[in-house]
Amino acid sequence: MDKYELFNKNTQAIIHGFQADAIQRMLDFDFVCKRSTPSVAAVVRASQEGAMEYHKVFWGSKEIVIPIYKTLDLAVKKHPNADVLINFSSFRSAFPTSKEALETDTIRTIVIIAEGVPERQSRELIEIAEKRKKIIIGPATVGGLLAGAFKIANTAGTIDNIIKSKLYRPGSVGFVSKSGGMSNEMYFMIAQNSDGIYEGIAVGGDRYPGSTLVDHILRFEANPRVKMIVCLGEVGGRDEYAIVDAIKVGKVKKPLVMWVTGTCSKIFPAGVQFGHAGAMAGTDMETADAKNKALAHVGVIVPQSFDDFGDRIRETFERLKSEGRIEPIEEFTPPELPMDFNKALAKGLVRRPTDVVTTISNETGDVLTYNGVPIDKIIREDLSIGYVIGHLWFKKELPLFAQKYIEIVLKLTADHGPAVSGAHNAIVAVRAGKDLMSSLASGILTIGPRFGGAISDAAKYFKDAHDSGKTPQEFIDYMKDVIGINIPGIGHRVKSVQNPDVRVELLKEFVRNNFPNHPYLDYALEVEKLTTVKRNNLILNVDGCIGICFLDLMENLDLTLEEKQDILDTEMLNGLFVLGRSIGMMGHIFDQKRQRADLYRQPWDEILYTTK
Ligand code: ACO
Ligand code: LMR
């Protein structure tokens, strides 16, 4: 790279500080300029403990990852070709991080974005940069760009402005200003009145910029690809007089069109600061008028006002063209940057099928709603868990007796001691050192057709038998001879006629007292009379009672036939046992943890070892 060049089409930067938007804007610029490699090599993100090691970004419509390092040293070692540091550190840490970059062997240009860097620190950085022959752009800058090649961070604003200002390919004009905001406007004005920017730099508005207007004008003077120079000065300071001096000694010969803003400052008392820290006229010399006059005096093309700045640029450009000093440039239509999906969606330009349909709750609004009922209503009106299950499971506001029934079922099924298979497995798991979720899962996975998971089947089989007019005996025979399974809801390992299950008694009592009628329960009790003749433990068990009484409950709800069938087919009734019994299983898990119970191993005397 020639010494007057800071950037080219292969320039890569390290970004100090995590700036997702700025990085994406740089890569989008790369894309429209048809760069072959991304202009961001790495990110340094010192503060983030356990930070992600990669930052995912779009490269056109594809995604690529950019490595993130905790230190600049590591980033520089891994990416020696990255010779630009764009330093987003705050004014508090801009000095040490910029100093560290200046002291590396590979970083050549440091861009300091922060405003408010203490002047003493800026001057010390300038000294180091001069010694190590490095360039600082800033502080208090947005940076700059080499058209068609490399853009610093957010320079030039949106991709629309970049396209409008033709920054995706090099023009013939070298531009430098103090103001980043004005630079964006100037890029467009120059594109309107010439073939566009070749390179644009904003040196920043501090009183001691790392590089000055004349530094970059001299670079443009030395660069054969720059045919004319445009500069926007500013009231305050004396940087513009360095340009006058450079012209006087013949260091700047290319046509220079320049305007110093702040001519309005003369109507304010001296010392009024305009925007930048450096934009304050301390003496008459530092006023915009004085500077514009001095520049015009040495042959700089100075418009009457900012309003005819564009005309002067156009006249100069056309003259150079007529003298054959400007070749027509290679125009091309930049590739269209894919629109971000969310933006396109917001504009209604794209649509995407959803992957999940939910009809029971919505957490996207201000207030969480269960089936449309705001959570604050449920809490403030002290509505029951049966009410909540009604909405989240059945999508209904259940009448009070139904809410109550559900709550009774949850209480009755909460636990049945450590010996039952579900609790046992949960206990064995937690004693094997498994965590709560795994131990609970072990218990829940035990629930099935013989233990806790017979509720839905009991409801289905008893409903079919009753509704089809089978007598209880016919039903028993049908289950044995045709279906060939034990009747779901009948039978228990320890409960019997002589040792009734109080839970079943309590459920029957509630139903008889609160349900307008209960034909299915009555039918089941007739079946139980027959089965207990065979064996005293073939009673209507708690699974059976829950499921069969729910049939009676459904008869008293305004449910369609399809809704009733859905309740039976979707295992909602088994869900009542899962929900209830999870309470007890977790109780056993906590109990074993509390006891610090050790690994369980089944005693040998409980096992018959036989080789038969
Ligand atoms: N329907 C018809 N006959 C049955 C039933 C039943 N539900 N349960 C057992 N029998 C019969 C068996 O066919 C067997 O008859 P046989 O001697 O002519 O061969 C006899 O009763 C003994 O069978 P076992 O399986 O030894 O009886 P056990 O007491 O071990 O069974 C169990 C208890 C597992 C609950 C059983 O009754 C059953 O599978 N029931 C259906 C599933 C069910 O409802 N489970 C929920 C239980 S409650 C809960 O988990 C919360
Ligand atoms: C239970 O609720 O777990 C029981 O009815 C099963 C059992 O064996 O006690």
Side-chain angles (χ1 to χ4, degrees):
M1 194 149 52
D2 296 310
K3 65 179 180 357
Y4 48 72
E5 278 189 325
L6 298 183
F7 317 118
N8 65 29
K9 201 144 186 168
N10 300 313
T11 297
Q12 285 204 305
I14 293 171
I15 311 288
H16 201 295
F18 188 68
Q19 296 284 322
D21 289 348
I23 292 169
Q24 188 59 65
R25 288 189 185 121
M26 288 178 71
L27 268 63
D28 287 348
F29 180 77
D30 299 343
F31 179 77
V32 297
C33 297
K34 295 186 175 176
R35 268 185 62 132
S36 56
T37 56
S39 58
V40 178
V43 173
V44 175
R45 189 182 198 187
S47 59
Q48 189 76 8
E49 273 312 308
M52 54 193 157
E53 291 174 4
Y54 288 100
H55 172 51
K56 199 156 58 77
V57 286
F58 280 117
W59 174 252
S61 56
K62 296 188 181 62
E63 282 191 302
I64 61 172
V65 288
I66 292 177
I68 297 178
Y69 301 94
K70 280 197 184 307
T71 65
L72 177 63
D73 180 50
L74 198 50
V76 163
K77 283 197 173 73
K78 295 274 188 179
H79 304 274
N81 294 331
D83 64 354
V84 176
L85 177 83
I86 301 175
N87 193 349
F88 277 94
S89 304
S90 72
F91 71 90
R92 283 178 292 275
S93 52
F95 175 74
T97 48
S98 300
K99 185 166 181 289
E100 182 186 2
L102 285 167
E103 287 161 354
T104 67
D105 294 334
T106 51
I107 291 176
R108 183 171 165 255
T109 304
I110 291 95
V111 183
I112 305 175
I113 306 293
E115 297 193 1
V117 175
E119 290 180 356
R120 179 184 51 73
Q121 292 180 355
S122 296
R123 297 172 76 171
E124 186 174 341
L125 291 172
I126 292 166
E127 216 174 290
I128 299 169
E130 277 162 8
K131 274 196 201 113
R132 295 184 60 81
K133 299 201 181 332
K134 306 213 171 178
I135 291 264
I136 294 174
I137 300 174
T141 180
V142 290
L145 62 86
L146 183 67
F150 178 76
K151 175 172 97 85
I152 297 168
N154 297 309
T155 298
T158 65
I159 203 73
D160 295 341
N161 189 52
I162 285 165
I163 302 294
K164 217 169 51 175
S165 307
K166 301 190 182 332
L167 296 173
Y168 52 85
R169 87 289 181 266
S172 311
V173 180
F175 172 74
V176 62
S177 84
K178 292 184 174 178
S179 157
M182 285 304 293
S183 295
N184 294 349
E185 193 169 330
M186 288 304 296
Y187 295 152
F188 181 63
M189 182 199 284
I190 290 168
Q192 293 292 91
N193 293 289
S194 72
D195 60 9
I197 287 283
Y198 174 80
E199 180 176 349
I201 297 289
V203 298
D206 280 8
R207 186 171 286 280
Y208 298 97
S211 52
T212 62
L213 299 175
V214 74
D215 292 335
H216 297 287
I217 287 174
L218 291 173
R219 284 194 313 108
F220 298 152
E221 178 68 24
N223 188 334
R225 282 180 285 279
V226 173
K227 307 301 183 191
M228 60 180 278
I229 302 165
V230 174
C231 178
L232 185 65
E234 201 169 84
V235 60
R238 298 178 175 228
D239 287 358
E240 290 78 1
Y241 291 103
I243 300 168
V244 172
D245 297 344
I247 292 170
K248 279 180 182 170
V249 299
K251 285 186 179 174
V252 178
K253 294 187 174 69
K254 287 182 183 175
L256 169 59
V257 186
M258 182 164 176
W259 175 250
V260 178
T261 60
T263 49
C264 65
S265 65
K266 54 179 169 289
I267 57 176
F268 293 90
V272 170
Q273 179 171 334
F274 288 79
H276 292 128
M280 178 170 64
T283 66
D284 286 350
M285 264 194 79
E286 294 186 6
T287 63
D289 282 343
K291 292 178 176 181
N292 283 323
K293 198 170 165 206
L295 288 159
H297 186 67
V298 294
V300 173
I301 302 154
V302 179
Q304 289 304 309
S305 73
F306 186 80
D307 294 344
D308 57 331
F309 202 177
D311 296 340
R312 299 293 84 74
I313 292 168
R314 170 169 295 283
E315 285 160 10
T316 307
F317 177 76
E318 293 304 331
R319 175 170 58 80
L320 291 172
K321 251 176 58 174
S322 65
E323 293 165 1
R325 291 162 63 183
I326 290 187
E327 301 296 321
I329 60 166
E330 188 196 333
E331 276 291 3
F332 70 92
T333 305
E336 182 150 353
L337 190 70
M339 188 183 287
D340 286 347
F341 179 78
N342 291 334
K343 199 184 286 181
L345 196 62
K347 289 183 172 204
L349 299 178
V350 293
R351 60 189 184 187
R352 178 170 65 95
T354 50
D355 303 321
V356 173
V357 176
T358 182
T359 66
I360 61 162
S361 65
N362 186 334
E363 84 293 359
T364 58
D366 295 341
V367 179
L368 167 66
T369 58
Y370 295 162
N371 194 33
V373 179
I375 188 70
D376 53 324
K377 169 183 167 65
I378 291 168
I379 302 305
R380 292 203 175 103
E381 296 179 19
D382 192 22
L383 299 174
S384 72
I385 190 69
Y387 177 92
V388 169
I389 291 171
H391 277 288
L392 287 177
W393 286 21
F394 302 98
K395 292 185 65 180
K396 293 269 179 211
E397 176 158 341
L398 297 178
L400 279 177
F401 80 93
Q403 294 178 32
K404 193 71 188 159
Y405 177 79
I406 287 172
E407 282 177 40
I408 288 175
V409 166
L410 295 180
K411 291 173 185 173
L412 290 177
T413 56
D415 192 56
H416 204 232
V420 303
S421 37
H424 173 80
N425 285 340
I427 290 169
V428 170
V430 70
R431 290 183 60 174
K434 298 299 284 181
D435 61 25
L436 168 65
M437 279 57 74
S438 307
S439 306
L440 177 60
S442 167
I444 287 178
L445 289 172
T446 316
I447 296 171
R450 297 179 185 162
F451 161 70
I455 302 175
S456 295
D457 278 349
K460 274 199 278 189
Y461 281 108
F462 276 84
K463 177 169 177 24
D464 291 350
H466 171 275
D467 293 357
S468 61
K470 285 190 178 67
T471 66
Q473 187 57 57
E474 285 167 347
F475 172 46
I476 292 169
D477 298 342
Y478 171 75
M479 291 304 288
K480 188 173 177 65
D481 303 334
V482 177
I483 303 299
I485 63 169
N486 282 341
I487 302 170
I490 292 290
H492 199 277
R493 291 306 292 271
V494 295
K495 295 299 178 186
S496 66
V497 174
Q498 292 73 25
N499 171 27
D501 190 332
V502 72
R503 298 171 297 173
V504 174
E505 299 309 311
L506 288 166
L507 263 180
K508 288 190 293 189
E509 182 185 315
F510 176 81
V511 168
R512 287 183 177 127
N513 295 338
N514 291 279
F515 284 25
N517 49 53
H518 34 76
Y520 290 104
L521 175 59
D522 298 343
Y523 180 80
L525 294 176
E526 290 305 311
V527 172
E528 181 187 47
K529 283 180 188 163
L530 299 174
T531 53
T532 46
V533 168
K534 171 172 185 179
R535 289 264 183 126
N536 67 353
N537 74 315
L538 297 187
I539 53 164
L540 177 65
N541 62 37
V542 72
D543 275 16
C545 194
I546 293 169
I548 289 155
C549 292
F550 205 96
L551 294 174
D552 289 320
L553 185 147
M554 290 200 288
E555 289 311 303
N556 293 285
L557 299 179
D558 62 338
L559 295 171
T560 64
L561 281 176
E562 191 187 22
E563 284 173 325
K564 288 180 191 172
Q565 199 55 45
D566 277 348
I567 288 170
L568 299 177
D569 294 345
T570 55
E571 284 202 271
M572 288 182 202
L573 303 186
N574 283 344
L576 292 173
F577 185 90
V578 173
L579 184 60
R581 188 52 57 92
S582 294
I583 298 167
M585 287 176 182
M586 282 190 267
H588 286 295
I589 291 162
F590 301 143
D591 188 33
Q592 295 301 316
K593 281 174 177 277
R594 230 184 344 257
Q595 298 171 45
R596 288 159 181 77
D598 61 359
L599 182 63
Y600 171 80
R601 193 180 194 283
Q602 190 162 12
W604 278 336
D605 61 5
E606 285 185 4
I607 301 166
L608 167 65
Y609 292 90
T610 166
T611 51
K612 293 278 177 288

